[in-house]
Amino acid sequence: MNNFTYCLPKSALEAANQKMSDPAAQFIAGGTNLVDRLKVFLDKPSQLIDISQLNLQTIETTADGSLRLGALVTNTKVAENQDIRRHYPMLARAILSGASQQIRNMATVGGNLLQRTRCPYYYDRAFPCNKREPETGCPAIEGMNRNHAILGSSEHCVAVHPSDMCVALAALDAVVEVISPQGTRQIPFSDFHRLPKNRPEKDTHLEPGELITAVTLPDSSKNPSGVYLKIRDRASYSFALVSVAASINLDGDKIEGVRVALGGVAHKPWRATEAEEFLIGKSFEENSLTEAADIALQQAQPLSQNQFKVELAKRAIIRALKVSAQGGGIV
Ligand SMILES: Cc1cc2nc3c(=O)[nH]c(=O)nc-3n(C[C@H](O)[C@H](O)[C@H](O)COP(=O)(O)OP(=O)(O)OC[C@H]3O[C@@H](n4cnc5c(N)ncnc54)[C@H](O)[C@@H]3O)c2cc1C
């Protein structure tokens, strides 16, 4: 590791001020992703701003019925929370499908949003990587790209966002709260992460100095039949090849409401809005689901080794919606 200084701010604003005054500094929360990156010199911060003791560790219901998750609530505490399990089960299931119990005990809400891609070229400094060092190239485009993006990628980067939790947050229309020396702002989840375009080194739309303080789940997201289906190479301790967070509300056999978000397919959690719009008002039947899945993947541009993800994603969408219609249940 290279040398860095360490500070332990007493408030979120103090942490944001500290970061603003030293752009090469980095926040550290649970450390489960950042420390791995430090060890292989992917990140070389001038200082670590330890936010782990800040007062951002509670889950509370707000006046309008939303559920507000402090940025430092651990992934375990979110997954075990009774309100989450009852009203937002796809979120609990998404979290429990990721990492290990020990890692989830350390990992935080804010850190999960900002974990970086698991593209092997990003981690291996023997190879160029536009995300690690801009304008050096993307060997994954012609190389080992089985785990990479099929939607929304660019000629500069085909990496995928690795988080499971974020796929559920995308489906639930979560809102990210941040603080900076300029004040506070709220970012709709769909605008939080970004596609790579020609700046793959930037994962999000966060501004310099901004600290995530909370993630809010709107009351309207409540859906006890929400499911999370994760397909991966191993049954546990493995990132998603494809995942789906989905929920569906039926009136008889008519589809009144539907949410579908995909993981493992793009540089950001991918909300399948066109497929959702297609399904509203349709009968819940095989043909509608198949057509919606086709719509969700119609822009797919698979790489040499991941053509299989297109069909896998379609089948995963259909299965997740069917399970949701039966009341949920996939972990
Ligand atoms: C072996 C292993 C397997 C894993 N498997 C999975 C998996 O299957 N699915 C999955 O989704 N995840 C998986 N993970 C990733 C894990 O979920 C993340 O490492 C974790 O969520 C990161 O949270 P953290 O608090 O430890 O973040 P840190 O490591 O502390 O920070 C990560 C990044 O976020 C920034 N940051 C942290 N908090 C804030 C904040 N409040 N505001 C602004 N910036 C902030 C830091 O500066 C840093 O850049 C795995 C990790 C490991 C090590």
Side-chain angles (χ1 to χ4, degrees):
M1 281 193 213
N2 66 308
N3 290 334
F4 50 80
T5 57
Y6 172 87
C7 73
L8 192 63
K10 292 191 174 55
S11 71
L13 183 58
E14 186 186 332
N17 280 331
Q18 188 71 18
K19 176 89 166 72
M20 197 62 164
S21 66
D22 180 1
Q26 277 182 277
F27 299 124
I28 183 163
T32 60
N33 186 227
L34 182 60
V35 172
D36 282 354
R37 284 157 30 199
L38 295 178
K39 285 182 192 163
V40 291
F41 302 103
L42 282 178
D43 295 64
K44 297 175 188 169
S46 55
Q47 72 172 303
L48 288 187
I49 304 170
D50 184 350
I51 58 172
S52 64
Q53 306 305 308
L54 296 180
N55 187 19
L56 303 170
Q57 318 207 5
T58 53
I59 300 178
E60 53 202 4
T61 306
T62 63
D64 67 357
S66 301
L67 205 58
R68 187 172 181 276
L69 317 176
L72 290 167
V73 179
T74 65
N75 287 187
T76 297
K77 282 195 176 146
V78 177
E80 287 179 349
N81 179 275
Q82 287 307 312
D83 286 328
I84 301 274
R85 291 166 67 96
R86 195 172 301 126
H87 300 305
Y88 309 95
M90 69 165 74
L91 179 57
R93 290 172 182 142
I95 291 172
L96 293 174
S97 76
S100 65
Q101 183 68 56
Q102 291 86 345
I103 291 167
R104 294 192 297 266
N105 290 346
M106 293 298 295
T108 63
V109 168
N112 195 306
L113 266 58
L114 294 177
Q115 61 172 299
R116 304 215 71 187
T117 185
R118 297 285 161 164
C119 174
Y121 296 108
Y122 170 70
Y123 281 87
D124 190 341
R125 296 177 62 81
F127 290 91
C129 169
N130 287 327
K131 186 175 277 299
R132 180 169 19 87
E133 288 171 44
E135 297 181 31
T136 55
C138 175
I141 291 171
E142 299 292 330
M144 291 185 300
N145 51 37
R146 179 174 179 273
N147 294 331
H148 289 68
I150 54 172
L151 288 163
S153 59
S154 75
E155 59 184 330
H156 302 281
C157 183
V158 292
V160 295
H161 195 268
S163 169
D164 293 297
M165 185 179 90
C166 290
V167 183
L169 293 178
L172 292 170
D173 289 322
V175 176
V176 184
E177 294 176 25
V178 301
I179 189 169
S180 75
Q182 281 75 44
T184 59
R185 69 178 179 120
Q186 301 200 327
I187 311 171
F189 205 79
S190 55
D191 297 335
F192 183 79
H193 295 100
R194 62 183 293 283
L195 292 175
K197 300 184 180 166
N198 60 353
R199 297 285 311 277
E201 72 278 11
K202 271 178 71 71
D203 289 349
T204 71
H205 291 288
L206 280 178
E207 299 291 340
E210 283 186 329
L211 172 80
I212 300 170
T213 49
V215 171
T216 299
L217 309 175
D219 189 28
S220 59
S221 308
K222 286 182 179 175
N223 194 317
S225 66
V227 302
Y228 187 71
L229 172 59
K230 177 173 179 178
I231 296 156
R232 47 190 156 173
D233 284 328
R234 287 192 306 260
S236 73
Y237 211 49
S238 183
F239 289 89
L241 285 169
V242 165
S243 67
V244 181
S247 67
I248 195 159
N249 297 331
L250 298 175
D251 179 13
D253 78 336
K254 193 173 154 204
I255 300 171
E256 286 209 314
V258 61
R259 296 167 183 270
V260 179
L262 301 174
V265 297
H267 195 256
K268 61 183 282 188
W270 189 268
R271 185 81 182 258
T273 44
E274 289 175 359
E276 291 174 352
E277 283 161 15
F278 168 81
L279 281 172
I280 297 292
K282 297 275 188 318
S283 294
F284 183 79
E285 57 189 20
E286 192 77 30
N287 284 348
S288 309
L289 302 186
T290 304
E291 207 170 329
D294 287 343
I295 290 169
L297 274 300
Q298 68 189 355
Q299 306 291 338
Q301 290 188 308
L303 301 159
S304 57
Q305 297 175 357
N306 69 6
Q307 174 71 40
F308 73 96
K309 279 195 179 187
V310 178
E311 185 61 23
L312 191 61
K314 289 181 186 177
R315 293 187 190 195
I317 290 169
I318 295 168
R319 184 169 160 218
L321 289 172
K322 284 182 178 174
V323 175
S324 177
Q326 291 161 3
I330 295 176
V331 174

